[in-house]
């Protein structure tokens, strides 16, 4: 229960608070590129506390992926690299990335192996909700009744980004370890750009090149230390 409490407070309550506060002070694209640092934090934590390997190939692939993500999201600004300015939002997003890295590493260490991922997800989210609710009630209430668009957005955040997101994440970590699932965080900036593009902003050449670098770097790092004929793992 202490493990569920710790993961709920840091992985749900603190992570959600930091990320939403970050989005109040910076753009979704800037938040996404900061979150792309999560694999680096996770792999370092896994090497220190779980003894998972961290070789040169993984470091090179991760560096390529992060560089590609930076190029992709910074290419969205007409000012290029000068368009990325540090404000209050970026440090908060970095702290949120640290919370997610802690959640990933600690869940591998603290959660019992004989409990289904669905049970893990339910208990962790329940713990996080217990601490989020008092903060929500203490905040300023909405000034108007939520319309249909708001309710749909809340349902997507709750069921998709939280329940299903953590359920799939716990399953991936329990099956593959913390390294490979965490590297897929490098796709967050790419997906963010796609969603922004769907709202009427076409991607620039820097974004396309950066996306290709992200995919290449993730693929390189995710296969570090594996022989070509390694048997597939089943969860």
């Amino acid at each position: 229960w202490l493990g569920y409490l710790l993961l709920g407070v840091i992985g749900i309550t603190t992570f959600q608070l930091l990320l939403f506060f970050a989005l109040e002070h910076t753009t979704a694209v800037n938040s996404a590129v900061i979150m792309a640092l999560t694999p680096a934090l996770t792999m370092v934590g896994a090497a220190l506390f779980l003894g998972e390997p961290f070789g040169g190939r993984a470091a090179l692939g991760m560096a390529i992926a992060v560089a590609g993500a930076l190029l992709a999201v910074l290419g969205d600004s007409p000012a290029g690299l000068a368009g990325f300015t540090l404000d209050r939002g970026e440090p908060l997003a970095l702290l949120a990335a640290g919370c997610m890295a802690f959640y990933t590493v600690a869940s591998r260490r603290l959660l019992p192996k004989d409990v289904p991922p669905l049970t893990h997800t339910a208990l962790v989210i329940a713990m996080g909700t217990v601490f989020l609710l008092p903060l929500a009630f203490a905040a300023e209430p909405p000034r108007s009744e939520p319309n249909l668009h708001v309710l749909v957005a809340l349902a997507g955040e709750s069921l998709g980004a939280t329940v299903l997101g953590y359920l799939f994440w716990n399953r991936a970590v329990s099956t593959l370890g913390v390294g490979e699932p965490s590297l897929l965080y490098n796709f967050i900036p790419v997906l963010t750009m796609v969603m922004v593009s769907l709202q009427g902003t076409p991607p620039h050449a820097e974004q396309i090149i950066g996306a290709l670098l992200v995919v290449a770097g993730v693929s390189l790092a995710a296969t570090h230390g594996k022989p070509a004929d390694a048997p597939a793992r089943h969860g």
Side-chain angles (χ1 to χ4, degrees):
W1 286 106
L2 181 61
Y4 287 119
L5 175 64
L6 189 62
L7 292 173
V9 171
I10 296 179
I12 301 291
T13 306
T14 308
F15 171 76
Q16 296 286 350
L17 285 174
L18 289 171
L19 188 57
F20 277 102
F21 279 124
L23 290 171
E24 288 187 357
H25 300 288
T26 189
T27 65
V29 171
N30 282 353
S31 295
V33 71
I34 296 296
M35 291 302 296
L37 299 176
T38 302
L41 301 175
T42 302
M43 293 187 73
V44 171
L48 292 175
F49 299 106
L50 301 180
E52 294 197 1
F54 186 86
R57 183 174 176 179
L60 176 60
M62 190 163 54
I64 294 173
V66 172
L70 286 170
L71 176 63
V73 297
L74 296 183
D76 184 55
S77 171
L81 295 177
F84 186 77
T85 57
L86 185 65
D87 54 31
R88 289 185 294 175
E90 280 80 20
L92 293 176
L94 181 59
L95 290 175
C99 289
M100 195 61 199
F102 172 85
Y103 174 86
T104 304
V105 175
S107 63
R108 184 77 170 178
R109 186 75 174 267
L110 299 178
L111 297 183
K113 303 296 187 295
D114 56 344
V115 177
L118 182 59
T119 304
H120 287 323
T121 304
L123 291 174
V124 169
I125 292 178
M127 289 291 185
T129 304
V130 166
F131 288 91
L132 272 176
L133 284 177
L135 299 175
F137 289 133
E140 181 181 356
R143 299 180 181 179
S144 61
E145 293 293 330
N147 56 33
L148 179 61
H149 296 290
V150 173
L151 293 177
V152 170
L154 287 174
E157 288 282 349
S158 303
L159 299 178
T162 303
V163 176
L164 291 179
Y166 279 88
L167 177 62
F168 295 156
W169 190 255
N170 287 337
R171 178 65 174 176
V173 170
S174 64
T175 304
L176 301 175
V178 301
E180 294 173 38
S182 297
L183 286 169
L184 297 180
Y185 252 79
N186 286 296
F187 283 104
I188 290 180
V190 179
L191 295 175
T192 302
M193 287 187 299
V194 171
M195 295 178 183
V196 172
S197 298
L198 293 176
Q199 297 177 355
T201 304
H204 302 290
E206 293 88 347
Q207 293 176 308
I208 298 174
I209 296 172
L212 294 175
L213 288 174
V214 168
V215 174
V218 168
S219 301
L220 177 64
T223 57
H224 78 279
K226 292 182 179 180
D229 56 348
R233 284 172 291 183
H234 302 279

